[in-house]
Amino acid sequence: MLKTHDCGELTPQHIGETVQLAGWVHRRRDHGGLIFLDLRDRSGLAQVVFDPQEVAEAHATADTVRNEWVISVEGKIAKRPEGTENPRMATGEIEVRAVRTSVLNPAKTPPFYINEESEVDEALRLRYRYLDLRRERMAQNLRMRHRLVKIIRDELDDRDFLEIETPILIKSTPEGARDYLVPSRVNPGHFYALPQSPQQLKQLLMVAGVERYFQIARCFRDEDLRADRQPEFTQLDLEMSFVDESDILSLMEILYVRIVEEIAPEKRLPKPFPRITHAEALERYGSDKPDLRFGMQLHDLSEIASGSGLGVLTGALEQGGVVNGILAPGSAGFSRRELDQLTDIVREHGARGLVSIGLEGEAGAPVAALQEDGVRSAVSSHLSVETVRAFGAALEAKLGDLALIVAGPEDVVRASLSALRNELGERLGLADPNELAFAFVTDFPLFERHEDSGRWGSVHHPFTAPRPEDIGKLDSAPGEVLSRAYDAVVNGYEVASGSIRIHDQGLQGRIFGILGYTEEQTRDRFGHLLEAFEYGAPPHGGFASGIDRLAAVLAGDANIREVIPFPKTQTGQDLMTSAPSIVEEEQLADLHLEFRQPS
Ligand code: ASP
């Protein structure tokens, strides 16, 4: 090694020792003759001093170096002179008195500061990702992610799971997205798909008798990218045989608790994780991934609204819609502008508008004390004070609170209020950034109807088992069949989903039929799985947990790109290597492909 020690490990115990260090020049200061370099390696920083009286040659070299040059230094560890210690630096009590130094590689001036946490344009960071990853916060994220994955491996190894790799070139497994396809050169006209997940392979491993499988698996989905999506992402993929829902959920809880307690012990982690059904989640929070750090539940105000005489509400009810509301505590005094912003949010989710009613009066007084002149609303002239009191009572309001009411189709109302709830949770400081509120959401519907085609699709994926008590409704009322699928959520994000699977060939075939596959399509796409189920498939189930999102939550980042070493942009581009890129005609010809300009 070019070094005997890491910079960050040096302590007063090393005083008097001669050490050899190597790393990057983090910062350079010239103090009237003495040159100070902060030398950085992956362990941290150490201050190196060059005294022209003592080491003229080394001092002359140090005079030429600049930030981010790679150098090696030989020196003696000394206590820093009285009064010059730096308590903010781990190695702040000592310094390295340089004896010799050499430049291992000079560096151009970086396009942004490595040695400070300043805001840098993300495109520039992605273009020079190798420099961005030198910055302390990103280096920390890399280390944290390593520990996260290691905890998973350790815990699952202790529990007798086998880590098994599955192929990247496979036959498509549907997870609801478009596949990335890879043309086969040796089989003209044939294509592999990159796995949207190893779903079918892990089920086949259960048929193979593995019983406990996991993999840190890369998955690929060709979707329109949203802020928190990447075309490729990493999941902890896991499957077990001879289990039911509670076995899997307990295992997930054990894993998440250990991860949080080891990586982010400062976070508040309510335990045991609450379990709520999909229907309850929608009814109470308007979302199947509710942020449970705060209450602010949705309330059904339809009945009161029907007698309110307010056209926007009664009109929606007449069209078969609903009226729901939430309460923003202490927010009766929101400005016009703040209310307009909230209205924009519900409009984005398809609502026609937002009815807001400030309940003014002596703060904290019961809503029964509300007077006519205390009703602050654009529609106050259309509402009796009795109706407003009834809304207030249903929302469990006090004076000083703000009632927010949306009317329309149930899904629009729920989505709108859920978005308002999330916004207000942040804005009113109700969502504690120091808490991780995990929960399991269970009993998802098995199918959902696709608006455009009118066909049934899987809510989770086609391998998910229906609840045994609902199997009788598969043909007569598929929309009412609940499944054995579950999600794990934390602070409003979905971090895992899974299910108990179908292991019966006949039932699996029926599901494919309801999903609209012909027998031939079923045989062609899933014949291998159905065949395997004829050879003694054990009952089994599992889940996949997104590592990127979990790491982002642990790092306190909203953006998963902060915890992915080499992420792609929103338009799927790698700004460092310029992928995707145009390929040579010849390469296309080898693959029996021809390029056609998009029309
Ligand atoms: N394959 C599923 C997914 O990627 C997870 C599972 O059901 O295990 O979401």
Side-chain angles (χ1 to χ4, degrees):
M1 291 283 290
L2 293 179
K3 50 185 189 171
T4 56
H5 291 74
D6 286 329
C7 296
E9 70 172 293
L10 299 173
T11 68
Q13 282 182 351
H14 295 94
I15 289 171
E17 279 182 43
T18 297
V19 300
Q20 184 84 39
L21 303 174
W24 288 261
V25 175
H26 189 67
R27 199 172 278 119
R28 179 182 170 286
R29 295 178 302 276
D30 198 330
H31 281 190
L34 290 183
I35 292 177
F36 293 88
L37 297 184
D38 285 344
L39 188 66
R40 184 189 72 237
D41 61 19
R42 62 175 229 164
S43 67
L45 300 173
Q47 172 169 295
V48 187
V49 195
F50 296 83
D51 185 335
Q53 312 298 331
E54 293 170 15
V55 286
E57 199 182 321
H59 181 272
T61 308
D63 201 29
T64 65
V65 308
R66 295 294 175 264
N67 284 358
E68 300 310 312
W69 285 36
V70 188
I71 64 170
S72 69
V73 172
E74 188 187 319
K76 204 165 177 180
I77 309 297
K79 191 169 162 38
R80 288 199 194 185
E82 198 71 34
T84 66
E85 298 92 347
N86 182 354
R88 275 169 309 160
M89 208 166 155
T91 58
E93 287 178 62
I94 56 101
E95 61 190 11
V96 184
R97 310 288 306 186
V99 178
R100 247 180 296 279
T101 187
S102 54
V103 172
L104 301 177
N105 212 345
K108 283 167 68 171
T109 303
F112 46 81
Y113 287 109
I114 311 287
N115 58 13
E116 49 180 76
E117 282 300 324
S118 49
E119 246 340 282
V120 180
D121 174 50
E122 198 187 10
L124 194 65
R125 290 175 55 200
L126 292 175
R127 161 88 176 74
Y128 295 97
R129 192 59 155 185
Y130 46 88
L131 296 179
D132 190 36
L133 292 175
R134 281 187 196 167
R135 305 207 300 164
E136 177 52 21
R137 202 166 60 87
M138 294 303 283
Q140 240 174 39
N141 286 354
L142 288 182
R143 287 195 290 270
M144 183 270 287
R145 190 173 171 132
H146 164 83
R147 281 171 55 217
L148 164 61
V149 173
K150 179 161 187 317
I151 293 168
I152 292 171
R153 289 203 158 105
D154 289 349
E155 183 66 39
L156 293 176
D157 181 61
D158 285 349
R159 291 172 182 273
D160 285 335
F161 280 79
L162 285 190
E163 181 170 7
I164 301 177
E165 287 177 71
T166 53
I168 293 293
L169 297 176
I170 63 163
K171 188 163 170 142
S172 163
T173 273
E175 292 277 2
R178 204 174 270 124
D179 284 323
Y180 280 101
L181 296 177
V182 180
S184 165
R185 181 180 55 81
V186 289
N187 301 285
H190 290 66
F191 293 80
Y192 302 99
L194 303 183
Q196 291 189 34
S197 84
Q199 183 62 35
Q200 291 181 65
L201 292 157
K202 68 175 169 176
Q203 292 192 240
L204 291 165
L205 286 171
M206 295 304 106
V207 183
V210 167
E211 292 192 34
R212 289 165 184 234
Y213 142 93
F214 84 99
Q215 176 177 198
I216 306 297
R218 193 63 66 83
C219 304
F220 305 83
R221 297 183 192 174
D222 187 0
E223 301 181 281
D224 294 330
L225 303 174
R226 294 202 303 256
D228 59 347
R229 289 262 171 92
Q230 285 281 310
E232 54 180 302
F233 56 93
T234 309
Q235 290 188 339
L236 157 62
D237 193 49
L238 183 144
E239 198 75 7
M240 294 175 84
S241 294
F242 309 116
V243 287
D244 64 20
E245 288 87 332
S246 62
D247 301 303
I248 304 261
L249 299 187
S250 312
L251 174 67
M252 285 164 98
E253 183 158 338
I254 287 169
L255 270 173
Y256 288 134
V257 166
R258 180 163 170 199
I259 287 166
V260 172
E261 287 181 349
E262 288 190 25
I263 292 189
E266 73 286 357
K267 298 271 187 199
R268 226 157 61 77
L269 180 69
K271 291 176 294 202
F273 297 174
R275 297 179 187 190
I276 57 173
T277 67
H278 179 259
E280 284 165 352
L282 287 183
E283 200 178 297
R284 293 191 207 153
Y285 305 102
S287 164
D288 57 10
K289 34 179 180 290
D291 189 339
L292 295 183
R293 287 175 295 176
F294 56 97
M296 207 187 276
Q297 295 193 8
L298 274 58
H299 292 269
D300 187 0
L301 305 177
S302 301
E303 211 176 301
I304 304 165
S306 69
S308 68
L310 185 61
V312 286
L313 305 185
T314 54
L317 291 171
E318 277 154 23
Q319 286 170 24
V322 299
V323 178
N324 283 4
I326 56 171
L327 192 74
S331 306
F334 265 16
S335 69
R336 188 59 217 239
R337 224 183 105 239
E338 285 170 305
L339 293 171
D340 285 347
Q341 284 169 350
L342 298 182
T343 305
D344 288 345
I345 293 175
V346 302
R347 289 227 170 97
E348 272 166 38
H349 290 82
R352 300 275 274 290
L354 174 68
V355 174
S356 65
I357 312 174
L359 308 169
E360 295 193 324
E362 187 194 332
V367 76
L370 181 73
Q371 299 302 307
E372 206 149 327
D373 61 0
V375 178
R376 185 161 168 269
S377 174
V379 293
S380 55
S381 59
H382 302 277
L383 282 173
S384 71
V385 69
E386 288 77 22
T387 302
V388 176
R389 282 193 203 123
F391 280 145
L395 292 169
E396 295 165 31
K398 297 202 174 55
L399 298 193
D401 294 344
L402 174 70
L404 296 164
I405 301 172
V406 179
E410 189 172 61
D411 52 343
V412 168
V413 168
R414 286 176 167 175
S416 304
L417 288 174
S418 165
L420 273 193
R421 196 181 160 267
N422 287 337
E423 167 69 21
L424 290 166
E426 294 289 338
R427 203 187 281 192
L428 302 178
L430 303 172
D432 177 359
N434 218 22
E435 174 174 338
L436 294 177
F438 281 88
F440 294 118
V441 181
T442 62
D443 300 80
F444 280 74
L446 190 62
F447 300 113
E448 63 195 344
R449 204 189 269 285
H450 290 309
E451 290 280 320
D452 30 351
S453 62
R455 283 170 47 165
W456 292 108
S458 297
V459 170
H460 190 44
H461 51 53
F463 316 107
T464 296
R467 291 197 317 180
E469 59 268 42
D470 290 351
I471 288 182
K473 289 190 282 194
L474 272 178
D475 297 313
S476 54
E480 289 173 25
V481 176
L482 296 184
S483 74
R484 302 182 71 183
Y486 34 77
D487 275 2
V489 299
V490 62
N491 294 5
Y493 293 107
E494 176 199 314
V495 283
S497 63
S499 57
I500 299 299
R501 326 296 184 187
I502 298 166
H503 63 278
D504 173 78
Q505 193 224 29
L507 180 58
Q508 184 66 74
R510 266 175 83 189
I511 299 289
F512 287 136
I514 295 169
L515 293 171
Y517 293 109
T518 64
E519 268 180 40
E520 198 189 331
Q521 285 170 330
T522 300
R523 213 174 319 115
D524 176 51
R525 291 185 202 180
F526 307 109
H528 51 278
L529 190 72
L530 293 173
E531 187 178 47
F533 284 177
E534 290 182 293
Y535 287 94
H540 60 284
F543 69 88
S545 175
I547 299 282
D548 307 303
R549 170 53 59 204
L550 187 60
V553 167
L554 292 168
D557 266 312
N559 178 343
I560 57 171
R561 292 188 296 278
E562 296 299 301
V563 293
I564 300 176
F566 299 106
K568 299 193 174 52
T569 63
Q570 228 103 288
T571 49
Q573 276 163 318
D574 175 341
L575 297 180
M576 190 175 60
T577 65
S578 311
S581 57
I582 290 171
V583 297
E584 303 289 332
E585 278 294 326
E586 257 174 65
Q587 288 175 286
L588 288 181
D590 280 349
L591 295 167
H592 326 283
L593 295 178
E594 218 169 87
F595 176 68
R596 218 169 52 200
Q597 284 292 346
S599 44

